[in-house]
Amino acid sequence: MFEIFQLPTRFLFQSERPAAKSTSPFVSGLRTPVELATARTVAIFSYLAIVIGLVVIGYRHFDNIKTGIAAAVLYLLLPYTAILTGRYMDTADGIGQVYHVLLAALLVWAVATYRRPLISGILLGLAIGMFYYPIFLLPLWCSFYWQRGVVRFTAGVISMLVLLVSILYFHHYGPSFSADVRQMFGWVFPAHGKLEGLLGIEHQ
């Protein structure tokens, strides 16, 4: 990846360069060729990981590889796979959409390795550190492992989150370490000005 230490923040790539002008309504701030190539590479390998993970789940957990292949094919047929990682790949916001696919790959493999609570916990902790919303899956996973494996699962999640917070401490990207931690866990304050309505009308 281009910069692995940017994963604990919300977007995969960030830049202080001013946005480049473009006539296209979907292009607002082109990135360097290295960043674009890296984003595409991450997206491709994430999709491969999702497809392989679905096949592995069907083969190992349902004893039917055809079920896994069918699920993988149905996933690839979704328009979502082309909208957020294809059409907007060359925009400043589009590169940030790569985390959608990367998170999906981590969650799929967390399910594929559910018989190894520590590994599943590490994968889920990495997903939470990249973008906070998988944290709402913790009650479900803990209830699944409650009879056996909850300690190892929790240890995996906590150890990964501690590692990511430590990375932010030594290599933060926002104005302060506390701001990066709040961004990492989705603890942000709502905006009070220049709010847009459903039809795109700004409200003061």
Side-chain angles (χ1 to χ4, degrees), residues 58-144:
Y59 176 72
R60 295 189 58 185
H61 304 323
F62 295 98
D63 295 325
N64 191 341
I65 193 172
K66 294 181 180 179
T67 301
I69 295 174
V73 171
L74 289 176
Y75 171 78
L76 293 176
L77 290 176
L78 292 175
Y80 175 86
T81 60
I83 292 176
L84 288 182
T85 53
R87 187 176 184 182
Y88 302 107
M89 181 63 74
D90 294 337
T91 68
D93 295 332
I95 291 180
Q97 304 300 329
V98 173
Y99 69 83
H100 281 278
V101 212
L102 196 54
L103 282 179
L106 291 173
L107 294 178
V108 167
W109 276 98
V111 174
T113 58
Y114 81 92
R115 293 177 180 173
R116 307 283 183 176
L118 181 62
I119 298 177
S120 293
I122 291 174
L123 293 175
L124 188 62
L126 181 58
I128 293 172
M130 288 176 52
F131 200 74
Y132 65 89
Y133 63 79
I135 198 171
F136 298 107
L137 296 175
L138 280 178
L140 178 64
W141 281 88
C142 289
S143 64
F144 177 77

Side-chain angles (χ1 to χ4, degrees), residues 20-30 87-88 90-92:
K21 295 182 179 180
S22 175
T23 58
S24 173
F26 302 108
V27 179
S28 58
L30 295 176
R87 187 176 184 182
Y88 302 107
D90 294 337
T91 68

Side-chain angles (χ1 to χ4, degrees), residues 13-19 31 35 172-174:
F13 299 107
Q14 295 179 1
S15 175
E16 297 178 355
R17 300 191 303 272
R31 299 297 185 171
E35 292 174 331
H172 59 83
Y173 294 91

Side-chain angles (χ1 to χ4, degrees), residues 129-178:
M130 288 176 52
F131 200 74
Y132 65 89
Y133 63 79
I135 198 171
F136 298 107
L137 296 175
L138 280 178
L140 178 64
W141 281 88
C142 289
S143 64
F144 177 77
Y145 286 119
W146 193 254
Q147 297 294 330
R148 181 179 180 184
V150 66
V151 175
R152 287 173 290 171
F153 174 78
T154 307
V157 173
I158 294 177
S159 61
M160 179 54 66
L161 291 178
V162 169
L163 175 62
L164 295 178
V165 171
S166 302
I167 292 174
L168 282 183
Y169 180 78
F170 293 104
H171 197 76
H172 59 83
Y173 294 91
S176 63
F177 169 70
S178 60

